[in-house]
């Protein structure tokens, strides 16, 4: 490294630190919004809210009993609540966040939120469909932006080369070997 590269390296380091702080702040803000939306009492639905352990039951209820706008607001809101997980987790967690890890972590966190809702908040109940919709939102966020952000972040830190290297014997590994031209014969 030459002396001319040092200011550039410090600038990159400061930029990375700023991005991590912004991503963490976004996660804190998201957590506060999530708590406000899900852990505040709903006195209007105290006698109506029931536990739903059957996947799809609430979605059927939305389709049959709600207006289109109310159903879209309910289902869409739950999907949107999960999107920040899919975007922020690959950036904040030190290891490469694969799709399965994002999904499992989102299911665990959202199930805990739903359990807390049902156990301690008046007028709220556990709903497995909310967990499914939140996880769907996280997967959408991961597919649209989180995967790219995570890879870009790792690439800058020098971690992407190891994470993106296909495992020996996998179909990606065999394809990567086919694309390389054969060495010239003497």
């Amino acid at each position: 490294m030459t002396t001319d590269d040092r200011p550039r390296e410090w600038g990159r380091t400061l930029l990375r630190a700023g991005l991590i702080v912004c991503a963490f702040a976004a996660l804190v803000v998201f957590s506060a919004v999530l708590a406000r939306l899900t852990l505040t009492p709903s006195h209007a639905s105290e006698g109506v809210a029931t536990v739903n352990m059957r996947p799809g039951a609430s979605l059927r209820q939305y389709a049959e009993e709600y207006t289109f706008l109310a159903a879209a607001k309910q289902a869409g809101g739950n999907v949107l609540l999960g999107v920040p997980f899919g975007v922020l987790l690959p950036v904040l967690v030190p290891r490469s966040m694969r799709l399965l890890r994002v999904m499992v972590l989102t299911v665990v966190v959202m199930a805990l939120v739903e359990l807390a809702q049902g156990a301690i908040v008046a007028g709220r109940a556990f709903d497995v469909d909310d967990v499914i919709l939140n996880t769907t939102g996280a997967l959408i966020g991961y597919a649209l932006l989180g995967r790219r952000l995570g890879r870009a972040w790792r690439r800058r830190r020098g971690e992407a080369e190891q994470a993106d290297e296909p495992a020996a014997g996998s179909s990606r590994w065999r394809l990567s070997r086919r694309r390389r031209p054969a060495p010239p014969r003497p």
Side-chain angles (χ1 to χ4, degrees):
M1 179 186 305
T2 65
T3 56
D4 293 337
D5 290 339
R6 286 187 184 159
R8 178 183 281 175
E9 190 63 32
W10 276 103
R12 287 182 183 163
T13 302
L14 288 174
L15 179 64
R16 281 189 223 128
L19 287 173
I20 285 287
V21 168
C22 287
F24 184 73
L27 190 61
V28 168
V29 168
F30 168 71
S31 298
V33 169
L34 180 67
R36 172 83 170 102
L37 291 174
T38 60
L39 299 178
T40 55
S42 175
H43 300 293
S45 55
E46 277 188 36
V48 182
T50 59
V51 174
N52 173 30
M53 296 297 287
R54 292 180 309 153
S58 292
L59 297 175
R60 270 190 299 283
Q61 181 185 7
Y62 300 155
E64 294 170 359
E65 299 175 16
Y66 287 40
T67 65
F68 176 77
L69 184 60
K73 187 188 281 188
Q74 186 69 23
N78 278 314
V79 169
L80 286 176
L81 277 176
V83 170
F85 271 81
V87 173
L88 295 174
L89 285 177
V91 175
L92 290 175
V93 178
R95 297 263 178 187
S96 177
M97 289 296 287
R98 299 274 187 229
L99 182 67
L100 183 63
R101 290 181 185 159
V102 169
M103 186 174 74
V104 168
L105 194 53
T106 303
V107 166
V108 168
V109 169
M110 293 305 176
L112 289 173
V113 168
E114 286 291 320
L115 286 170
Q117 257 185 304
I120 61 176
V121 181
R124 302 278 186 166
F126 179 87
D127 190 346
V128 71
D129 288 334
D130 288 353
V131 175
I132 292 168
L133 290 170
N134 295 149
T135 304
T136 301
L139 296 178
I140 290 169
Y142 177 81
L144 293 179
L145 193 58
R147 183 175 180 206
R148 290 184 186 123
L149 283 176
R151 283 188 174 181
W153 180 252
R154 307 271 174 273
R155 201 167 289 124
R156 287 191 180 120
R157 293 180 62 199
E159 299 172 14
E161 290 77 22
Q162 295 173 338
D164 290 340
E165 185 68 29
S170 69
S171 59
R172 273 185 58 204
W173 179 81
R174 287 190 295 274
L175 286 173
S176 69
R177 300 297 176 243
R178 286 186 199 162
R179 289 187 207 127
R180 293 183 183 159
R185 295 185 181 211

